[in-house]
Amino acid sequence: MVYIALLRLLNAIAMTSRLAARALIPDLSDAFLKNLMTLPMEWNERTDFSVFQVATYILDFYSTLGRYGLGAAIVSTGHEVFRNLSSLVAGTQLSPAPTLTPLPLDDARVRDFIEAWLQLHEVWIACAINPHNTTPEHDLLWSHVVAWQWSDALLDLRKRMMDAQGLNKNPGQQARLGLWASWWRVWSKWLEGCRINQPDGVDSEIERWIRQFPSSWTDGGTERKLLEDSISQLVLHHDTVTEGHQQCARACHAALLLLIETQKGDILMSLAHPISDVMGSVMEETYWRQIRDSCSSKDHDIRQWTNLVVVALRCLHRIDGTKAAKATAAAATTTLETKAILSQEYELLDRLVPGDEMLASELIASILQTTLRPKEFTDLTTLNKEDEIWRASGGPAKILMPLYRYALWPREQRFVGPFVPHPTALKMTTTLLPLSQSPHEPSSDADTTNTRLGSQSSASDAKEASVATATGIELPQRHKGDWIVAPLDVILRSGSTHKRLFKTLPSDWNASETDVVRCLLMLLFRRRVKMCRAQMESTCMKVFMLEHHDHTVNPNEV
């Protein structure tokens, strides 16, 4: 138990910062491989499965390193060890002796071990998708994971899980739900990697997945029923949000991620109503307050729920697009479903927390794409589809989106890793611990950064950090709709605090301040969130400052 406590401490230290994680690699990462080598590759009913608890925390530690893009070379140096672990988890290459049995999936310690193995492979697959974002670069290549046949091990494990599900449907089903969630997520990440690095092979991987259990996602199928049961639990309103609800949210999120990656529109279409129901239920104000309170008191990550709703919105966008493509008349106008989704996107932006910046970027891009189209402004005589604003710099969405993306993470010194491992985020991630902060309390990010790192930052550095926070998009937002005018704040400081802005802009971005302001006013005209009078007055004054080339006034004083 002392050893487990030490491993938990090391993992907690690694999560605090990239600097701390990197310092732990030389002495510990390779040493832990020796411990994994001691796992029994043959077992019987008398085997002490507590040894898998230590292995679980070791795999968690490797996962934490991988979320920064660090330590990916471990899988190469310890290839033989991890190959044996894959055989152990998948239940392949076992001794034919009659006394030996596969690892029991109903044992909590074994289940935790397999979940840790799945989560580690999800992280390593994210590292392999774009090896330029690992540190050092090219520590893990996509050709490596293909050669090591990780997909075969994953499908073998799925067969074991299906067999266990069929033999024992009710007892322990809630506990096994976490195992299914981990499997769905890693397989969706695998398909994402195939789509990027071997597009010719992704269809064959999807076919292998379908062919293994053809009816699993059809009406009444095993995996589909797991998803539908989880949705039913979340749609029912309860007085409190229990551990069971957390597991159901995790399962729903993972299953929807998988269905999006498989691009099986027929399955999504058949689940349109359940997906819409779970999104509406979770977004309901009272239920969301219960979710937030439960996550605060029980140390759960509320980003599980924000990610669930964003993925549900992604599914509804895909479903709505399929409907619009099939309908001849509906293609010319925005559908009612699209307008409802747009309102939900505005609402969800107000509920995101630190670490959800990539989700915010996705939601804002969707809002711009839906809102800033010529057909949405046919009632304005001064704007029509022939107007130059739709052609300038690629259109309004292309003009604004780079500024919004920059405003979401204006400082390189602080980026919280996303809830789901993402290839783009690996090198940017500086911590895995989002700041816990009330939406109505002033940010003290600069002070906490100095305290955490123990540095003696100069007054100018502290001032720059403070201004960057004030002129960026801060999650959670203090007031609804604050994010809309963020591009104004950025270009007001583009010559001083935000010098890094010009390094982040696309090479073909050549919009003027007039283009930015004009597009922003169009978005404000079609916004779906109420903004108070003070916000609108502040926005008008910032436009006035730009018009008179006054970039020296502090935006906080406006």
Side-chain angles (χ1 to χ4, degrees), residues 18 91 116-117 136 148 155 248 299 305 325 335 409 419 499 538 557:
R18 168 184 289 272
W117 180 85
W148 294 331
L155 291 176
C248 288
D299 199 27
W305 296 88
T335 64
W409 43 86
F419 182 76
K499 293 178 181 178
S538 172
E557 297 175 357

Side-chain angles (χ1 to χ4, degrees), residues 4-18:
I4 290 177
L6 176 61
L7 287 170
R8 294 179 66 178
L9 175 62
L10 290 174
N11 193 42
I13 292 173
M15 291 182 70
T16 59
S17 71
R18 168 184 289 272

Side-chain angles (χ1 to χ4, degrees), residues 5 9 18 63 98 126 202 276 292 316 331 389 423 441 457 547:
L9 175 62
R18 168 184 289 272
S63 295
V202 65
S276 180
R292 188 179 57 207
L316 293 179
I389 191 66
E441 292 177 359
S457 298
E547 183 181 3

Side-chain angles (χ1 to χ4, degrees), residues 337-350:
E337 289 87 347
T338 300
K339 292 180 179 179
I341 293 171
L342 188 60
S343 298
Q344 293 280 17
E345 289 171 336
Y346 273 98
E347 182 67 24
L348 183 55
L349 272 167
D350 192 48

Side-chain angles (χ1 to χ4, degrees), residues 315-429:
C315 290
L316 293 179
H317 266 299
R318 188 74 57 87
I319 294 168
D320 189 48
T322 303
K323 289 180 180 178
K326 292 180 179 179
T328 55
T333 58
T334 304
T335 64
L336 292 176
E337 289 87 347
T338 300
K339 292 180 179 179
I341 293 171
L342 188 60
S343 298
Q344 293 280 17
E345 289 171 336
Y346 273 98
E347 182 67 24
L348 183 55
L349 272 167
D350 192 48
R351 301 186 183 185
L352 299 183
V353 297
D356 282 337
E357 285 79 9
M358 299 193 80
L359 297 185
S361 177
E362 178 184 342
L363 291 173
I364 293 173
S366 177
I367 290 172
L368 296 183
Q369 185 177 12
T370 305
T371 305
L372 299 180
R373 296 184 293 184
K375 62 187 178 185
E376 296 296 323
F377 294 88
T378 54
D379 55 333
L380 296 181
T381 57
T382 57
L383 287 174
N384 55 65
K385 62 180 63 179
E386 285 78 30
D387 196 287
E388 64 177 7
I389 191 66
W390 308 111
R391 299 190 303 269
S393 302
K398 188 176 180 180
I399 290 173
L400 293 180
M401 196 57 221
L403 299 175
Y404 280 120
R405 192 174 292 114
Y406 174 84
L408 283 164
W409 43 86
R411 290 192 297 121
E412 293 178 304
Q413 294 83 2
R414 177 71 183 178
F415 184 82
V416 181
F419 182 76
V420 176
H422 195 287
T424 304
L426 297 175
K427 189 169 285 188
M428 298 192 307
T429 299

Side-chain angles (χ1 to χ4, degrees), residues 88-119:
L88 186 66
V89 168
T92 57
Q93 300 178 1
L94 299 178
S95 169
T99 57
L100 300 179
T101 56
L103 284 174
L105 297 183
D106 286 332
D107 187 290
R109 294 161 298 185
V110 172
R111 199 164 51 244
D112 289 344
F113 167 71
I114 296 177
E115 283 190 42
W117 180 85
L118 288 168
Q119 290 162 10

Side-chain angles (χ1 to χ4, degrees), residues 52 55-57 59-60 63 89 103-123 154 157 161 172-186 243 246-247 250-251 304:
F52 289 97
T56 298
Y57 285 107
L59 298 184
D60 285 342
S63 295
V89 168
L103 284 174
L105 297 183
D106 286 332
D107 187 290
R109 294 161 298 185
V110 172
R111 199 164 51 244
D112 289 344
F113 167 71
I114 296 177
E115 283 190 42
W117 180 85
L118 288 168
Q119 290 162 10
L120 175 59
H121 279 68
E122 179 188 16
V123 172
L154 290 172
L157 174 59
M161 292 164 61
Q173 177 168 311
Q174 189 70 48
R176 289 196 299 273
L177 199 58
L179 193 59
W180 276 108
S182 296
W183 194 93
W184 289 332
R185 268 184 52 169
V186 70
E243 181 67 32
Q246 298 282 352
Q247 287 279 39
R250 183 182 170 201
Q304 173 67 80

